[in-house]
């Protein structure tokens, strides 16, 4: 069963505007972590931000913030003041801490294009 | 510099010709894994290893083998590659402990099987 769902295959945003990338997840575990990675056209995977299931505050890292709504099981990434360099593929991922082998599950990704 | 390295970065091969993609990390991480990335499917785990000599199947292990003889190395072996294994492959490692315990990824290997 799909554990991470990213419903937006592609998104466009005007430079300097904010954009929200959606992510919903499915788990029955109480302890889990949510991650966002950026993949530019060069292909590498860059870790952006993390939210733990027990964290009461939404995570923030510079222009990135995570809008965590636990009851809705959503973990949307918000990028403020978009820049041309933000154009990339973005992946949401989850790790269920109690699982024995501690792996990550990824969504299908959202391709963000920032327009000048 | 802490990093995960993969070689080769690009490879074009033919059906049935055995190949190995190497992966090495210098962070003393216990946990390592291999993923393949395909359009519309995100990253799917092929194999993982929780420590030396401990490996197990992920979601899509068919057609692949791995070994973990040393902590730092985790090669991916395709004994008889087929065109449906054309993909972008990532090796990743993590400490397996603490928070956030994110995975560190290698640069990727783009494999084409003709």
């Amino acid at each position: 069963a799909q554990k991470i769902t990213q419903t937006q295959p592609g998104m466009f945003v005007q430079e300097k505007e904010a954009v929200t990338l959606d992510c919903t997840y499915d788990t029955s575990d109480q302890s889990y972590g949510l991650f966002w990675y950026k993949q530019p056209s060069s292909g590498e995977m860059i870790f952006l931000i993390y939210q733990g299931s027990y964290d009461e505050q939404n995570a923030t890292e510079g222009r990135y913030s995570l809008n965590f709504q636990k009851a809705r099981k959503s973990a949307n990434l918000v990028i403020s003041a978009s820049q041309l360099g933000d154009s990339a593929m973005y992946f949401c991922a989850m790790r269920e801490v109690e699982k024995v082998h501690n792996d990550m599950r990824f969504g299908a990704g959202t391709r963000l294009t920032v327009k000048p | 510099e802490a990093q995960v390295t993969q070689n080769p970065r690009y490879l074009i091969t033919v059906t049935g010709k055995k190949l190995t993609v190497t992966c090495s990390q210098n962070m003393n991480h216990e946990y390592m894994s291999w993923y393949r990335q395909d359009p519309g499917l995100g990253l799917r785990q092929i194999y993982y290893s929780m420590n030396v000599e401990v490996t197990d199947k992920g979601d899509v292990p068919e057609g692949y083998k791995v070994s973990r003889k040393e902590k730092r190395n985790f090669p991916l072996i395709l004994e008889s590659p087929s065109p449906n294994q054309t993909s972008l492959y990532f090796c990743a490692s993590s400490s397996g402990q603490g928070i956030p315990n994110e995975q560190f990824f290698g640069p990727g290997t783009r494999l084409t099987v003709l």
Side-chain angles (χ1 to χ4, degrees):
Chain A
Q2 185 70 15
K3 293 216 170 191
I4 300 287
T5 302
Q6 295 180 252
T7 57
Q8 308 151 315
M11 289 278 288
F12 290 88
V13 64
Q14 204 67 38
E15 193 178 8
K16 299 180 184 175
E17 292 186 351
V19 63
T20 298
L21 306 184
D22 295 341
C23 173
T24 57
Y25 59 92
D26 181 28
T27 181
S28 56
D29 287 6
Q30 296 302 308
S31 183
Y32 52 90
L34 297 156
F35 303 78
W36 278 92
Y37 283 84
K38 173 183 179 181
Q39 185 182 45
S41 57
S42 50
E44 72 268 31
M45 295 287 285
I46 302 168
F47 167 64
L48 292 178
I49 196 167
Y50 166 84
Q51 178 86 42
S53 58
Y54 292 116
D55 294 342
E56 295 184 353
Q57 304 265 359
N58 285 342
T60 60
E61 287 288 347
R63 294 186 299 109
Y64 303 108
S65 60
L66 202 152
N67 184 0
F68 181 46
Q69 299 187 44
K70 195 169 182 177
R72 293 187 175 186
K73 293 186 176 178
S74 76
N76 299 339
L77 177 71
V78 180
I79 305 175
S80 63
S82 297
Q83 301 172 356
L84 295 178
D86 294 334
S87 293
M89 197 75 170
Y90 289 82
F91 290 99
C92 179
M94 176 178 66
R95 167 178 284 125
E96 295 164 305
V97 176
E98 296 166 22
K99 289 290 186 291
V100 172
H101 71 272
N102 208 30
D103 72 330
M104 271 185 165
R105 298 286 175 153
F106 286 82
T110 296
R111 184 171 297 281
L112 176 67
T113 303
V114 180
K115 298 188 287 186
Chain B
E1 180 190 356
Q3 60 181 352
V4 179
T5 57
Q6 291 178 231
N7 282 292
R9 295 288 313 279
Y10 303 90
L11 180 60
I12 301 175
T13 189
V14 295
T15 299
K17 185 176 182 182
K18 180 180 179 180
L19 67 92
T20 299
V21 184
T22 64
C23 172
S24 182
Q25 51 94 4
N26 63 1
M27 294 169 279
N28 202 36
H29 284 166
E30 294 190 347
Y31 185 88
M32 298 184 74
S33 60
W34 276 102
Y35 294 88
R36 61 177 289 171
Q37 180 184 349
D38 302 291
L41 297 176
L43 278 75
R44 294 178 293 166
Q45 192 180 57
I46 302 170
Y47 268 93
Y48 65 93
S49 168
M50 296 184 73
N51 213 325
V52 175
E53 302 292 2
V54 180
T55 64
D56 208 344
K57 297 176 181 178
D59 294 324
V60 288
E62 293 78 21
Y64 304 95
K65 287 175 57 177
V66 292
S67 68
R68 187 94 182 271
K69 294 183 170 51
E70 305 166 283
K71 197 171 188 177
R72 62 183 293 131
N73 296 325
F74 190 45
L76 179 70
I77 303 155
L78 285 72
E79 295 268 1
S80 182
S82 62
N84 64 10
Q85 293 178 296
T86 293
S87 187
L88 178 59
Y89 291 87
F90 287 100
C91 179
S93 74
S94 65
S95 64
Q97 301 170 16
I99 294 173
N101 190 21
E102 78 272 24
Q103 296 205 15
F104 293 83
F105 285 85
T109 295
R110 192 168 293 280
L111 172 66
T112 301
V113 183
L114 301 175

